[in-house]
Amino acid sequence: MKSLGIIVAGLLAAAPLRGQEPARIAEAQAVLAPLIESYGVSGAEAPVRATVERLLPAWAKAETDTAGNLWVRAGKGDPLVVVVAHLDEIGFGVTAIREDGSLELAARGGFFSSLFEAEPALVHTATGSIPGVFTPRDSAGPTPRRAPGPFRVDVGTGSRAATEALGVRVGSTVTMPKRYTRLAGTRASGRAMDDRVGCTTLLLALRRLDPARLRHEVVFVFSVREEIGLEGAEAVAAALGTRTRRVHAIDTFVSADSPLEPQAFAVTAIGRGPVIRALDQSAVAPPALVDSLAALARARAIPLQVGATNGGNDGSVFASWGVPDVAIGWPLRYAHSPAEVIDLKDVVHLADVIQAIAERW
């Protein structure tokens, strides 16, 4: 999910967290924090995939396909339901190493490069991460101001040979340092909440499932290369073909619940529960399935919102196989920035929705 849209349905009644609220919030944080602090730009998701594997419950047998997607199967028999969240995050790829040792970059994913200017950088190589800085771009000059120059990273060397000696190559990925930060109450911040929150909710749901008691097969997929074209999910859709009955892409719902955004955009308040993405630029969820999922959430006292937005989601690539996509997200502030903000209550409730889908729908 990359941009904002228009809300089309109201909020369903919010409910308090069930059971041991402090323990559930603590568990969600314990899963989310290491995922946030793992690095994995589109096409280089291996560190995140390894973190997911480490956090899986003991019963889960993970397999990695040739595209790099991680699969966990639960239950047996038809109908087959797929739940998918993506492993990758936005960042850059090195396109050239200049004679002065600095790096030319191309974005992987959609975001405002200005948010990274004059900030610390990390260049990820085969042998480790190399610190650097995103250089400020020159935009000074007489009126009218000239356009900013090229976006680059300086790793502190003075020549191409010195940069290459550090292990940096064309194709290396670049991010900025990040960490999970707990804010007041149940709020938290960090870069790459999109879609590490989605991965977290799949893991939390898997921890609560008894696969022997499921009435049909559910495939949980941690997909790759979503930010650059839904490539991993496309491979999954092709592998499963027409056998899939329904797909649920778990991804962010960019919210205008922020002082920065015009309120004409999609307002889904953070802390009020996950969101059914009834409509976006890539998919229309069948209204009967939206209503059915909403009823399932009400029956389990799980707060849920319903909205429409721009952008796309991993589930949309299943459409060519005749598979309906009912995407579900969580409200997010400051999307694709170094300071994304979520509410941990929404994380817990989204995991509850996924568990309910696996067990009862």
Side-chain angles (χ1 to χ4, degrees), residues 241-260:
T242 58
R243 187 179 164 225
T244 307
R245 175 70 62 84
R246 192 175 65 246
V247 61
H248 299 280
I250 310 300
D251 206 341
T252 184
F253 189 101
V254 175
S255 177
D257 179 24
S258 150
L260 301 178

Side-chain angles (χ1 to χ4, degrees), residues 166-178:
L166 296 174
V168 180
R169 300 288 183 268
V170 171
S172 295
T173 60
V174 182
T175 62
M176 63 166 59
K178 58 177 179 168

